[in-house]
Amino acid sequence: MKRTLSIVGAFALLAWTALGLFAWSNAQGHFQVTVIESGAASAEAQRASALADELGALHQDLRALSTALGENLEALRDELSEEQTQHAAALSRDVSALRESLRALEPSAIATQQSLILLRQDVAALSAAVHAAPAAEPVAVVAEAIPIEPQPEAETVVETTLPQPGQPAAQPAAEVAPKKRSFLAFQLPSDDLRFDERRAWTLLPALSRVGFDAKSTLHDFSGVSSSITGELEADLSKPGEKPRALLRVEAATLKTGVDGRDEQMRENLAVKDHAQITFELTGFEATKVDAAARRSEGKASGKLTIRGVTREVQMPVQLSIDEARRLCVDGDMSLDLTQFDVPVPNKLGMITMEKDVKLWISLRLRVHPRTER
Amino acid sequence: MRDRSIASCACALLLAASVLGCASNVVAPADRNVRDELADAVWRPANAVDLIGQWRVLSLSGEAASALLDLAYFIAEDGDFSGSALFAGPPAHFEVLSGTWSLDATGRLQLGADAEPANAEVAGAFLRLSGAEGSLIFERPAIR
């Protein structure tokens, strides 16, 4: 028993010691022990006092600097303000002088503008004169028609506008034509359609008709068709110089207003075998040419083919340009149907048609756009 | 007596019928030209509502006819417009432009700031613009 108690007492002592060590090890991280000597505190206090003195001196210096800077800025502002006032006054004087100069220049500017307008009108007149003049003598005609004022600009323009002898009159004028802004908002070239140059034209079927007027014992009648295609190429001021044209009419589309008569006509024209009536222009003998009015008259010669039979014919025609800048070709001629082997209708000897009919054309053509520059 | 009057009436009727049947049906020289259906149109000054939409030129006259091959406009309700023109050249070429349009009470149409005003008139479904360089008639394009 005694031995047991001593063992328990030894264990208890060991446990107490272990607990003490454990508690010390936990507590030592939460405590700091500082050792201060008694002379160090007075040294720190002296250093802080010196710093405070230096800071006060710095404040005083800063105040002095601030005061001095403010005075300098005020002086600078005053100086700048004075300079600005002087500069504005100088500018005002310059503007006034400029205005006076402009006022002095205004009359001459107006005169120059008027001169330019007159010059432009002269150039336009020259261009029109060149257009209207025959191609063989373009320069001479222009010189007689429009006297050129001795202005250097005008001479320059005229030199570039007038064609050289031997050159076609059309090309240079078309290239330098001035532009203007039209009511369509686009700038349209000022050169109008010319009568005196070789151009290609395309027939407008919707606005063209060909027909014939016939006489019979019962009553007179006409046959009309708008089923026409064709082209024409000519210089309308010189229509006799190698004109070319080809017209094609669908024979079955000729209408007289009476179905039975139309049926008979198609049989007589043999439209199943010869669907088209054609005319090929081979020459033009002009009797009247008015280039200014854009009109000419003459006799068109060519090969007319009806029912497969071709004959040389001549038709007096009038050529003109209308408001829509279309070429109008109108004409008529007498034609003997028997020359083309066309049977002349005859109903039991009672109703007979005359073998001579009047063939007429009313054609409208639109100029084909140029492809060359 | 009665038989004679009936015979007279029959003869008169036959004569009238033969005269009517033998009446000339020849086209007069003045009527040989194709008649423009718009020649008889009654034009009135256009108002803004008439102009809105797409237009394509139908006929050209005047200087514009020698300069242009085709012309189209789109006139928008918000005051903008756009146009395209095919110039004859040479060489033939397209030009396009856009801008703003305005119309005054008398039917004067201003297409863009720099252009001369056009006289705008309508007749049915057609629009006519006229100015110093000519007169143009437009229609609504019907693209299929």
Side-chain angles (χ1 to χ4, degrees):
Chain A
M1 186 64 182
K2 205 182 227 184
R3 192 175 174 185
T4 303
L5 286 172
S6 64
I7 290 169
V8 170
F11 271 112
L13 186 61
L14 283 172
W16 183 256
T17 304
L19 282 171
L21 286 172
F22 178 73
W24 178 78
S25 65
N26 279 340
Q28 74 174 351
H30 300 285
F31 295 102
Q32 186 177 3
V33 177
T34 305
V35 179
I36 300 171
E37 293 181 12
S38 60
S42 63
E44 285 295 325
Q46 285 177 356
R47 203 177 296 153
S49 174
L51 280 173
D53 291 343
E54 285 179 11
L55 193 59
L58 279 173
H59 277 180
Q60 285 180 353
D61 293 344
L62 194 60
R63 265 191 225 104
L65 278 172
S66 174
T67 307
L69 192 61
E71 290 172 354
N72 286 338
L73 283 174
E74 281 181 8
L76 188 63
R77 186 191 62 190
D78 295 342
E79 194 172 341
L80 282 175
S81 177
E82 189 176 353
E83 279 186 9
Q84 190 177 7
T85 307
Q86 289 175 356
H87 191 58
L91 276 177
S92 178
R93 284 195 298 274
D94 289 347
V95 168
S96 299
L98 202 58
R99 276 183 185 158
E100 286 178 8
S101 303
L102 283 173
R103 274 196 210 101
L105 283 172
E106 195 170 1
S108 60
I110 291 170
T112 307
Q113 191 176 8
Q114 288 172 347
S115 302
L116 281 173
I117 291 168
L118 291 172
L119 197 61
R120 187 176 290 180
Q121 289 171 353
D122 288 346
V123 171
L126 277 171
S127 180
V130 169
H131 289 173
E137 296 177 301
V139 177
V141 171
V142 170
E144 288 171 11
I146 309 289
I148 301 170
E149 292 180 10
Q151 295 179 2
E153 294 85 0
E155 287 173 1
T156 305
V157 173
V158 170
E159 280 174 9
T160 56
T161 305
L162 286 177
Q164 297 299 316
Q167 287 183 344
Q171 304 303 331
E175 287 172 5
V176 300
K179 289 188 168 185
K180 56 187 176 182
R181 192 168 287 277
S182 71
F183 69 99
L184 301 168
F186 288 94
Q187 287 185 328
L188 300 179
S190 61
D191 54 333
D192 204 349
L193 179 68
R194 291 180 52 188
F195 198 72
D196 58 343
E197 63 178 344
R198 190 174 184 85
R199 297 293 298 266
W201 301 78
T202 303
L203 189 138
L204 302 170
L207 298 176
S208 301
R209 292 206 298 181
V210 298
F212 67 87
D213 300 337
K215 291 182 177 179
S216 75
T217 52
L218 185 59
H219 70 174
D220 302 342
F221 64 94
S222 295
V224 180
S225 174
S226 280
S227 295
I228 322 162
T229 56
E231 306 85 30
L232 181 146
E233 186 180 325
D235 180 343
L236 299 175
S237 66
K238 299 166 190 165
E241 290 187 359
K242 297 179 182 176
R244 291 193 303 160
L246 181 61
L247 295 177
R248 296 169 291 270
V249 181
E250 297 300 323
T253 63
L254 281 163
K255 303 286 183 191
T256 65
V258 177
D259 290 343
R261 188 164 55 200
D262 291 347
E263 184 64 31
Q264 179 67 49
M265 183 170 58
R266 285 192 284 271
E267 284 182 18
N268 291 349
L269 292 174
V271 296
K272 288 182 181 174
D273 298 326
H274 307 286
Q276 290 187 332
I277 297 170
T278 63
F279 176 76
E280 182 183 0
L281 183 71
T282 56
F284 191 92
E285 184 184 336
T287 55
K288 182 181 176 184
V289 175
D290 187 346
R294 296 194 280 201
R295 289 179 172 277
S296 60
E297 295 177 10
K299 285 183 180 178
S301 306
K303 296 174 182 175
L304 179 63
T305 302
I306 301 175
R307 208 173 186 266
V309 177
T310 302
R311 295 280 183 269
E312 289 278 349
V313 296
Q314 270 197 335
M315 177 186 281
V317 296
Q318 298 87 43
L319 307 173
S320 62
I321 304 292
D322 68 5
E323 272 294 303
R325 277 26 173 201
R326 293 182 293 243
L327 172 61
C328 307
V329 183
D330 298 286
D332 56 40
M333 59 177 280
S334 182
L335 190 76
D336 182 352
L337 291 175
T338 59
Q339 287 189 350
F340 294 87
D341 298 342
V342 177
V344 179
N346 187 337
K347 295 286 186 183
L348 303 171
M350 298 288 291
I351 303 171
T352 58
M353 182 181 138
E354 292 183 12
K355 65 183 178 65
D356 290 322
V357 297
K358 182 178 279 185
L359 183 67
W360 53 264
I361 58 172
S362 173
L363 311 176
R364 299 293 178 268
L365 300 95
R366 178 71 74 182
V367 70
H368 196 272
R370 289 196 195 94
T371 52
E372 76 281 7
R373 288 175 186 272
Chain B
M1 187 70 180
R2 188 182 173 194
D3 291 340
R4 287 182 65 183
S5 62
I6 290 173
S8 298
C9 287
C11 287
L13 282 171
L14 279 172
L15 185 62
S18 62
V19 167
L20 286 172
C22 295
S24 175
N25 195 22
V26 173
V27 175
D31 296 331
R32 289 174 182 172
N33 297 342
V34 175
R35 184 159 181 77
D36 186 356
E37 68 272 18
L38 290 173
D40 298 327
V42 179
W43 298 93
R44 64 164 174 82
N47 56 49
V49 177
D50 297 324
L51 300 176
I52 306 301
Q54 195 175 349
W55 297 99
R56 179 94 182 256
V57 74
L58 178 66
S59 76
L60 298 147
S61 69
E63 286 180 30
S66 53
L68 297 173
L69 300 176
D70 201 352
L71 182 62
Y73 288 110
F74 179 75
I75 299 177
E77 201 171 359
D78 63 0
D80 290 336
F81 82 97
S82 187
S84 72
L86 178 57
F87 281 78
H93 63 282
F94 273 103
E95 288 184 17
V96 296
L97 55 77
S98 296
T100 57
W101 64 273
S102 60
L103 183 76
D104 68 15
T106 61
R108 301 285 284 175
L109 174 65
Q110 183 81 35
L111 288 171
D114 302 332
E116 290 290 322
N119 192 29
E121 300 163 296
V122 290
F126 299 100
L127 168 66
R128 182 167 70 181
L129 298 182
S130 309
E133 292 85 5
S135 179
L136 292 83
I137 296 176
F138 296 83
E139 62 178 348
R140 303 277 188 187
I143 299 171
R144 297 185 180 181

